[in-house]
Amino acid sequence: MNHAVRRMGVLKAFNALRTVNQFDGFDCPGCAWPDPDTHRSAAEFCENGAKAVADEAMTGLLDAAWFAAHPVAALLKKDEFWLGQQGRIAQPLVRRAGATHYTPLSWDEAFALVARTLNGLPSPDAAAFYTSGRTSNEAAFLYQLFVRMYGTNNLPDCSNLCHESSGVALKETLGVGKGTVTLSDFAHADCILVIGQNPGTNHPRMLTTLQAAARRGCRIISINPLPEAGLTSFKNPQEVSGWVGRATPLATHHLPVRINGDVALLKGLAKEVLAAEAEAPGAVLDAAFVREHTVGFEPWRGALEQVTWEEIERESGVPAAAIREVGRGVASSRRVIACWAMGLTQHENAVGNIQEIVNLLLLGGHLGRQGAGVCPVRGHSNVQGDRTMGIYEKPAEAFLDALGKEFRFTPPRRHGLDVVDSIRAMLRGEVKVLFAVGGNFLSASPDTEATARALGKCALTVQVATKLNRSHLVTGEVGLLLPCLGRTEQDVQAAGPQFVTVENSMGVVTASRGRLAPVSPELRSEVAIIAGVAEATLGSGKMKWQELAGDYGRIREHVSRVVPGFEGFSERALKPGGFYLPNAVRDERRFDTAPGKAVFTVHPVPRTAPPEGRFVMMTIRTHDQYNTTVYGMQDRYRGVADQRRVVLMNEHDLAFLGLAEGAQVDLYSHF
């Protein structure tokens, strides 16, 4: 409340927080953890959700006068925290070639500038169209339609940077690139693995789900290099005992795996499950499931037998006894859910990490039944929905066929560029325009300096945004800044008030209706901005872009005929709690892989130990941060105050280097 009131004021804070994640309210612009299906608490949000809402709905405005007083060179000297605290962008702005400041222009001028540049390119493939996971389903579908009608599949998105490996790994082994559990499954699991994930900061409402599981005796295993406060114990702030009682212990076990030692550790768990089966044949493995629903078991088991416990200990960094103890717990569990986040996906061998989880679950038949399955926990609130709507540089042929039939055109078939390939193409001078709907392309991308050089080589960079970030200051020859409505704000179009939809981590599609008045009359919705650019670029002869922008129900009608599972889209989205998309593994225990069954896969154990005198470094999100958005400078869960540039090291490594706690150091990358 302190954060919300300081950013929004008392009345606005009350109106915003009482409607966030409610059946008739708006979806939180933070994480993608699902809401309960049948009920909502009076405060259906977490601390970081409140910060996300307050950050979007803050009262300050950045108008032409503000930008006139702040040259871009001066803004570049400010950090992301300062930039984000200045307020909402109030009107369209342009930084023309050689200019030192952003200056205002009209929406029509902005659309004409984009259209002129796009239509002047030698090929549609000379433009890339980025998307953030906060974009609604309606905006995402219209966006990919415009891009493909323009003539390219260059649709990089934030999934390329976070859970791409999850989708690839699961599609290859299970036939579906998403999770296979619902929120209700957690009430039936007797073992939950939480791997490479920090729910306490990144999706705190998950802690209430884990608390309920812990109270009924569910085994909760935390696998992470650092023990996190949120998985150690939890005081639920929506219970009286959360204020005056004792905390609920959550994780029954913590395995402090070495950074990227997950393959070795997961092989150790599987090895112990097989050992338990050997001691009690028929009592541990789900032999019928393995026989009827999987392929590759015997080659996988043969390869696992060649992996020694010495290798597992060395590469995982965890004693064999600890792994064996947890492995016995997994072996005795009848319903296992495995959850993970970017601690598993942000590695060169990330697909192997995730497929080792699949191997482990296949042994016990922990897929396609209640209380068991895979649960990749996504970040931004609609990053999964964007992909469902066709935001993908490698679209399926069936999707393109349906899209072409619905809109009577021939979509491009050649695969487009993902984020990394887009950056490389910009550096080579092959991509001259970057159009970004949301996000912070510069700060989120893998190599900040290379990405900055790439953006600087563009003829035009366009950023659709609510607030200022560093990506808006490192522009092409010309930079456009187009301000959009936030998720919290009312969206009124020609047909009246509109709602949008989002898809959460568990495949539930729900409606979202902003309730606050827009902070500026010059803001336009993402849908309206995309339609305006599309009409200016492609004309309105074949497609009535403004009709779609005027009534989002028309977009949903098209979606219902193009994307499987969205039949009766608008009507089903308006039902309290929305609707579940079909999931072959979850609903039918069907595996749409090449062999028609779930696949055991074999992966080598990565060598993770660095050479003497070098260290493996990972980045972690501070508690006052969400993705690249910084809300404050406090990380109270880790005891860090008033600073963010902190290196956490093992005390033995500090002693080896002759360093003391609090010392100032320079970091040098081997790469």
Side-chain angles (χ1 to χ4, degrees):
M1 289 305 300
N2 178 51
H3 192 95
V5 169
R6 282 190 290 113
R7 295 285 184 271
M8 297 185 285
V10 176
L11 183 60
K12 195 173 185 180
F14 173 77
N15 287 334
L17 296 180
R18 73 181 178 86
T19 56
V20 63
N21 291 331
Q22 299 299 324
F23 287 128
D24 61 347
F26 63 89
D27 188 72
C28 178
C31 80
W33 187 253
D35 306 312
D37 287 336
T38 58
H39 68 278
R40 303 292 160 88
S41 68
E44 193 60 60
F45 57 87
C46 66
E47 175 188 344
N48 273 5
K51 290 176 181 176
V53 170
D55 196 67
E56 179 177 281
M58 63 169 47
T59 54
L61 286 180
L62 310 187
D63 54 14
W66 189 92
F67 279 96
H70 293 85
V72 171
L75 294 174
L76 277 168
K77 296 178 181 178
K78 303 293 186 180
D79 60 29
E80 293 277 11
F81 177 51
W82 186 92
L83 293 173
Q85 297 308 302
Q86 301 313 298
R88 289 282 299 277
I89 303 166
Q91 61 191 110
L93 297 145
V94 61
R95 182 189 185 187
R96 301 192 185 276
T100 58
H101 291 70
Y102 271 105
T103 55
L105 78 171
S106 71
W107 280 106
D108 287 344
E109 288 173 326
F111 295 152
L113 173 58
V114 176
R116 187 166 58 249
T117 308
L118 290 177
N119 289 328
L121 294 175
S123 162
D125 289 331
F129 299 85
Y130 179 75
T131 319
S132 160
R134 281 178 54 174
T135 305
S136 69
N137 287 328
E138 290 74 11
F141 185 82
L142 197 67
Y143 191 47
Q144 64 81 31
L145 175 63
F146 156 60
V147 171
R148 292 189 166 109
M149 282 190 162
Y150 173 63
T152 184
N153 282 315
N154 287 351
L155 283 159
D157 73 328
C158 58
S159 281
N160 296 150
L161 302 174
C162 56
H163 270 281
E164 190 77 32
S165 47
S166 296
V168 171
L170 296 177
K171 191 73 175 174
E172 289 178 355
T173 54
L174 302 180
V176 59
K178 302 179 181 181
T180 66
V181 299
T182 68
L183 191 58
S184 63
D185 282 315
F186 284 80
H188 301 278
D190 54 7
C191 180
I192 300 171
L193 304 173
V194 183
I195 313 176
Q197 182 187 4
N198 177 15
T201 286
N202 299 331
H203 17 260
R205 286 190 302 152
M206 183 179 178
L207 297 183
T208 61
T209 302
L210 295 177
Q211 181 188 48
R215 284 174 172 173
R216 60 178 178 77
C218 179
R219 184 181 288 109
I220 298 175
I221 314 299
S222 167
I223 301 175
N224 216 32
L226 286 174
E228 297 286 1
L231 281 173
T232 303
S233 61
F234 176 54
K235 284 188 172 185
N236 191 335
Q238 299 202 27
E239 297 177 344
V240 173
S241 61
W243 294 84
V244 298
R246 299 179 64 183
T248 303
L250 292 186
T252 54
H253 297 78
H254 173 69
L255 298 180
V257 66
R258 172 180 289 169
I259 296 171
N260 201 23
D262 307 283
V263 166
L265 189 145
L266 290 162
K267 284 182 183 291
L269 295 178
K271 203 172 181 71
E272 194 60 21
V273 170
L274 291 180
E277 169 69 13
E279 294 172 11
V284 176
L285 296 190
D286 188 336
F289 175 84
V290 172
R291 182 177 61 254
E292 297 168 14
H293 293 288
T294 75
V295 296
F297 172 70
E298 289 300 337
W300 171 81
R301 179 164 64 178
L304 184 62
E305 289 173 350
Q306 301 304 310
V307 180
T308 66
W309 277 107
E310 180 185 13
E311 184 180 16
I312 289 170
E313 273 195 320
R314 183 180 68 247
E315 300 304 335
S316 72
V318 180
I323 298 175
R324 282 175 161 160
E325 180 182 349
V326 171
R328 289 286 162 155
V330 173
S332 64
S333 299
R334 302 277 68 92
R335 293 179 171 86
V336 180
I337 293 175
C339 310
W340 68 88
M342 289 167 65
L344 279 192
T345 66
Q346 295 276 299
H347 294 286
E348 187 176 12
N349 50 279
V351 170
N353 287 342
I354 294 150
Q355 291 184 342
E356 290 293 348
I357 290 177
V358 173
N359 290 336
L360 182 64
L361 295 186
L362 290 179
L363 293 176
H366 299 300
L367 287 151
R369 58 188 174 87
Q370 189 180 57
V374 293
C375 182
V377 182
R378 309 302 297 267
H380 259 150
S381 62
N382 199 41
V383 62
Q384 187 160 294
D386 284 357
R387 186 56 60 87
T388 303
M389 290 294 105
I391 300 292
Y392 190 31
E393 74 279 358
K394 300 177 186 129
E397 290 294 315
F399 175 83
L400 294 179
D401 290 342
L403 192 71
K405 179 180 178 182
E406 177 70 12
F407 294 100
R408 299 175 184 172
F409 82 111
T410 303
R413 299 282 167 161
R414 179 183 173 187
H415 285 175
L417 303 175
D418 63 12
V419 168
V420 172
D421 285 337
S422 294
I423 294 169
R424 290 170 174 159
M426 284 187 269
L427 286 168
R428 293 193 300 266
E430 296 167 4
V431 165
K432 303 300 294 182
V433 173
L434 176 71
F435 193 109
V437 180
N440 188 340
F441 188 85
L442 174 64
S443 294
S445 293
D447 186 325
T448 310
E449 292 184 8
T451 305
R453 293 196 303 272
L455 292 172
K457 289 194 170 189
C458 289
L460 174 67
T461 50
V462 185
Q463 304 281 347
V464 179
T466 56
K467 297 178 62 189
L468 197 62
N469 64 47
R470 191 157 299 279
S471 291
H472 308 149
L473 307 175
V474 179
T475 70
E477 184 179 6
V478 176
L480 262 183
L481 202 46
L482 305 181
C484 64
L485 293 172
R487 188 80 61 78
T488 58
E489 292 170 315
Q490 299 166 1
D491 185 350
V492 181
Q493 302 296 333
Q498 303 294 309
F499 71 89
V500 295
T501 60
V502 296
E503 177 188 347
N504 64 36
S505 282
M506 295 178 187
V508 183
V509 177
T510 55
S512 177
R513 307 169 186 80
R515 296 300 188 185
L516 303 179
V519 296
S520 166
E522 291 209 51
L523 303 184
R524 295 198 181 184
S525 72
E526 290 178 329
V527 171
I529 293 171
I530 292 164
V533 170
E535 184 175 67
T537 305
L538 304 178
S540 57
K542 189 173 183 180
M543 282 290 303
K544 304 302 181 185
W545 299 100
Q546 293 306 321
E547 290 183 6
L548 296 176
D551 182 356
Y552 300 172
R554 293 175 181 265
I555 300 174
R556 288 188 287 272
E557 287 176 12
H558 289 299
V559 173
S560 70
R561 293 189 289 268
V562 172
V563 184
F566 281 85
E567 297 78 9
F569 188 0
S570 287
E571 296 77 14
R572 293 164 69 201
L574 286 173
K575 293 179 180 179
F579 63 93
Y580 280 87
L581 292 175
N583 186 299
V585 174
R586 182 194 68 211
D587 303 336
E588 307 172 48
R589 220 177 205 185
R590 190 181 82 241
F591 302 95
D592 293 328
T593 62
K597 296 184 177 184
V599 181
F600 279 92
T601 52
V602 176
H603 297 278
V605 177
R607 297 294 180 260
T608 58
E612 184 76 12
R614 293 181 186 165
F615 298 88
V616 177
M617 185 180 192
M618 68 174 182
T619 55
I620 55 178
R621 184 184 290 166
T622 68
H623 185 63
D624 258 355
Q625 177 184 356
Y626 196 79
N627 291 343
T628 59
T629 302
V630 182
Y631 303 134
M633 304 296 281
Q634 311 305 315
D635 192 343
R636 67 177 186 276
Y637 289 175
R638 299 190 182 102
V640 178
D642 302 319
Q643 56 185 322
R644 298 180 66 250
R645 299 178 69 81
V646 174
V647 179
L648 305 179
M649 295 190 77
N650 185 282
E651 60 185 353
H652 298 294
D653 291 332
L654 285 176
F656 172 79
L657 293 173
L659 293 172
E661 182 176 346
Q664 196 169 63
V665 296
D666 293 324
L667 299 175
Y668 297 92
S669 171
H670 165 72
F671 298 98

